[in-house]
Amino acid sequence: MTTVVTSALPTSDALRARVRDALAAVGARVDLGEPNAGGVTASTPINGDVLFTVPESTVEQADEAIAQAAEAFTAWRLTPAPVRGALVARLGRLLVEHKADLATLVTIEAGKITSEALGEVQEMIDICDFAVGLSRQLYGRTIASERPGHRLMETWHPLGVVGVITAFNFPVAVWSWNTAIALVCGDTVVWKPSELTPLTAIACQALLERACADVGAPAGVSRLIQGGREVGERLVDDPRVALLSATGSVRMGREVGPRVAQRFGKVLLELGGNNAAIVTPAADLDLAVRGIVFSAAGTAGQRCTTLRRLIVHSSIADDVVSRIVSAYRQLPVGDPLADGTLVGPLIHETAYRDMVGALQQAGAEGGEVLGGERVDVGDEGAFYVTPAVVRMPGQSEVVHLETFAPILYVLTYDSLDEAIALNNAVPQGLSSAIFTLDLREAERFCSAEGSDCGIANVNIGTSGAEIGGAFGGEKETGGGRESGSDAWKAYMRRATNTVNYSADLPLAQGVHFG
Ligand code: UN1
């Protein structure tokens, strides 16, 4: 039924050699320990093996990293923004040079197919370009004053140390969204990557340190700490961390948000999504199916923007589902490093168990499950699956959960009101889409009575956003906005300045005093 591209997965020795080559190429100096040496394990979902271990930061080292970033901030904030931009420009060049090296590490650690891994590095290059331009455009406003001889204006100033916590599924791009913008804004960064992707983080840090050396910026503008919860908690609780930007689960955000707020720090949260696409009778179905298949099965369903719910008009539901199922049958599943593979592995066994559990629950709630089987790749420790389509009889509990796997629930509707209500009926609010050539339907979906998500697309899927827009979502997604547009404002503090250049002292609101 499904084509498996590779009959034999690469051996761990072959993968180790590729990791060593990529790390050497980017100039990373790191002690790669034996798989059982202790520390943070660097494993690969390609065959499920541990490849190396890397040193885990102690709590003291995490504190020291924050101290170094705080120290570097005192000078960095006074460096002119366009000069700060030159550092990010250099980083962007290095990323262009090492695009393939970094993409190889992303594929080995996160299991992304090569084309998507290259795309993720391209996203880093794009955000660097954006940030360099931004470094000359950190504009404040001049506001009309109600008093004669007065000028009212806004100035934007660097915020401080930005703590960045990232997830396994975009191990490099999400760091770069935060870091490129934070650096041009005059902030310094301490990064705690996912424990599942320590090697890509080491490579990114090495490239940034090279960029710092090349342009003469202090290396302390960016620090990397590796480890689990204890290390991450230092960023959450340390008052020197002015902004905590955290990407991960709703559970994590629920804990982190109030803790940072308790000390009056700022948070930027990118949490779960449960993204839907509406397909109306006015859709171009060929285009819709292509968009749906990429968004639902791409990255093996492990993007926060992955399409998880299809809301399709009942008159076309059978047709749309059969087109998706036949497209799914042709998706090559297997080694993400191999040419032609479109669906790589799930990140680990727990992800697979969660997928099995969700499909069982869907079945128990009346769903008809198509696909979603484990694919035998000849290695027990690796978890490859065919993407699943599940026709649901209506709303149910499982449909409201985000399961980080390629499961597409199909619901039907009869009126656009009903479809929009279904789109908005989940607790998460990241991405959404409508497929229609009807202008009225499209505009309603994007209007105030339409999708309640941070991203509402027309005639493209829910995933694969460009960096130029602000990225993020509402409700349990956390409300944060990263990357393009004016997302930079979260990384700076605003001062309102009233300047009196007259010889009088008129009070505002006509108040007389003395
Ligand atoms: C994520 O899954 O955490 O829009 C980020 C997209 C990518 C970013 C996804 N540009 O799918």
Side-chain angles (χ1 to χ4, degrees):
M1 204 172 85
T2 303
T3 331
V4 178
V5 173
T6 33
S7 48
L9 296 174
T11 64
S12 291
D13 282 343
L15 293 172
R16 283 191 189 98
R18 293 191 70 157
V19 166
R20 281 207 181 87
D21 287 350
L23 288 176
V26 299
R29 282 181 304 272
V30 56
D31 285 336
L32 293 173
E34 292 298 314
N36 53 6
V40 179
T41 53
S43 47
T44 177
I46 294 178
N47 62 13
D49 276 0
V50 176
L51 300 178
F52 298 106
T53 52
V54 300
E56 181 168 4
S57 307
T58 62
V59 162
E60 291 72 29
Q61 284 167 333
D63 289 344
E64 177 56 23
I66 297 170
Q68 286 169 350
E71 169 65 24
F73 174 68
T74 57
W76 191 241
R77 67 181 169 179
L78 299 178
T79 304
V83 178
R84 302 193 296 242
L87 168 61
V88 176
R90 180 69 193 127
L91 174 64
R93 297 269 145 67
L94 288 172
L95 288 168
V96 170
E97 218 175 286
H98 293 288
K99 187 171 175 181
D101 299 318
L102 210 46
T104 298
L105 293 172
V106 169
T107 297
I108 292 175
E109 275 198 315
K112 257 180 215 194
I113 62 167
T114 299
S115 171
E116 290 195 58
L118 287 167
E120 182 173 353
V121 183
Q122 185 59 45
E123 198 160 327
M124 305 174 80
I125 295 164
D126 294 344
I127 197 71
C128 286
D129 280 352
F130 180 92
V132 174
L134 178 67
S135 72
R136 291 182 183 268
Q137 300 175 78
L138 299 168
Y139 301 139
R141 296 166 196 255
T142 302
I143 300 155
S145 170
E146 65 189 53
R147 289 171 280 188
H150 283 59
R151 186 161 59 90
L152 205 52
M153 63 178 185
E154 286 180 339
T155 42
W156 290 89
H157 300 296
L159 199 57
V161 177
V162 177
V164 178
I165 295 177
T166 54
F168 84 86
N169 66 329
F170 271 79
V172 293
V174 173
W175 168 73
S176 73
W177 294 352
N178 284 282
T179 300
I181 301 294
L183 288 176
V184 300
C185 288
D187 302 326
T188 57
V189 174
V190 181
W191 179 23
K192 194 203 91 64
S194 162
E195 282 171 279
L196 298 170
T197 53
L199 300 174
T200 51
I202 287 168
C204 290
Q205 178 67 14
L207 289 174
L208 184 49
E209 284 180 14
R210 270 174 69 186
C212 287
D214 291 349
V215 304
V221 296
S222 166
R223 303 280 79 187
L224 170 65
I225 55 179
Q226 301 261 23
R229 195 188 163 93
E230 261 207 322
V231 169
E233 281 179 345
R234 307 311 285 192
L235 293 177
V236 174
D237 294 329
D238 194 313
R240 290 171 298 183
V241 176
L243 169 68
L244 183 76
S245 173
T247 302
S249 66
V250 172
R251 192 163 52 82
M252 179 273 289
R254 227 187 267 291
E255 198 181 321
V256 159
R259 267 169 75 166
V260 178
Q262 183 71 26
R263 61 173 176 84
F264 298 101
K266 296 182 193 233
V267 280
L268 195 170
L269 297 176
E270 296 289 356
L271 310 175
N274 191 347
N275 317 299
I278 297 172
V279 187
T280 86
D284 171 340
L285 286 190
D286 288 338
L287 182 142
V289 169
R290 279 162 49 208
I292 290 162
V293 170
F294 171 68
S295 280
T299 334
Q302 298 169 108
R303 291 192 189 213
C304 53
T305 50
T306 290
L307 176 59
R308 308 202 180 281
R309 298 177 297 136
L310 195 67
I311 301 166
V312 53
H313 192 270
S314 50
S315 64
I316 52 171
D318 290 344
D319 186 16
V320 170
V321 170
S322 80
R323 286 177 191 231
I324 294 170
V325 170
S326 74
Y328 272 13
R329 290 206 167 113
Q330 290 157 39
L331 287 180
V333 179
D335 174 12
L337 286 165
D339 284 346
T341 300
L342 292 179
V343 181
L346 295 177
I347 188 69
H348 46 35
E349 181 169 2
T350 309
Y352 173 67
R353 301 266 161 244
D354 288 349
M355 177 170 178
V356 170
L359 291 177
Q360 275 167 356
Q361 186 178 345
E365 290 175 5
E368 181 200 341
V369 180
L370 305 156
E373 292 110 13
R374 187 163 176 195
V375 175
D376 183 7
V377 289
D379 204 317
E380 271 305 296
F383 294 88
Y384 292 79
V385 292
T386 59
V389 180
V390 188
R391 289 195 77 158
M392 298 301 293
Q395 286 282 36
S396 78
E397 203 185 307
V398 74
V399 173
H400 287 222
L401 303 175
E402 179 193 43
T403 303
F404 230 56
I407 302 175
L408 181 63
Y409 300 110
V410 181
L411 302 165
T412 57
Y413 77 91
D414 291 313
S415 73
L416 190 61
D417 282 343
E418 200 189 328
I420 291 172
L422 284 170
N423 179 78
N424 296 347
V426 294
Q428 309 85 349
L430 179 56
S431 188
S432 59
I434 189 168
F435 288 93
T436 179
L437 300 180
D438 179 324
L439 180 73
R440 289 179 179 160
E441 289 183 330
E443 289 292 331
R444 260 199 72 208
F445 183 72
C446 295
S447 78
E449 58 173 357
S451 165
D452 63 2
C453 296
I455 298 170
N457 292 334
V458 178
N459 292 329
I460 67 162
T462 53
S463 63
E466 302 175 20
I467 59 90
F471 182 91
E474 304 302 329
K475 303 193 289 185
E476 287 190 0
T477 303
R481 291 296 186 280
E482 289 175 311
S483 93
S485 184
D486 64 352
W488 62 271
K489 290 180 176 173
Y491 299 79
M492 300 197 86
R493 64 182 174 84
R494 178 197 327 234
T496 303
N497 311 120
T498 309
V499 179
N500 176 6
Y501 58 93
S502 76
D504 290 330
L505 193 65
L507 299 178
Q509 297 91 38
V511 171
H512 290 284
F513 194 78

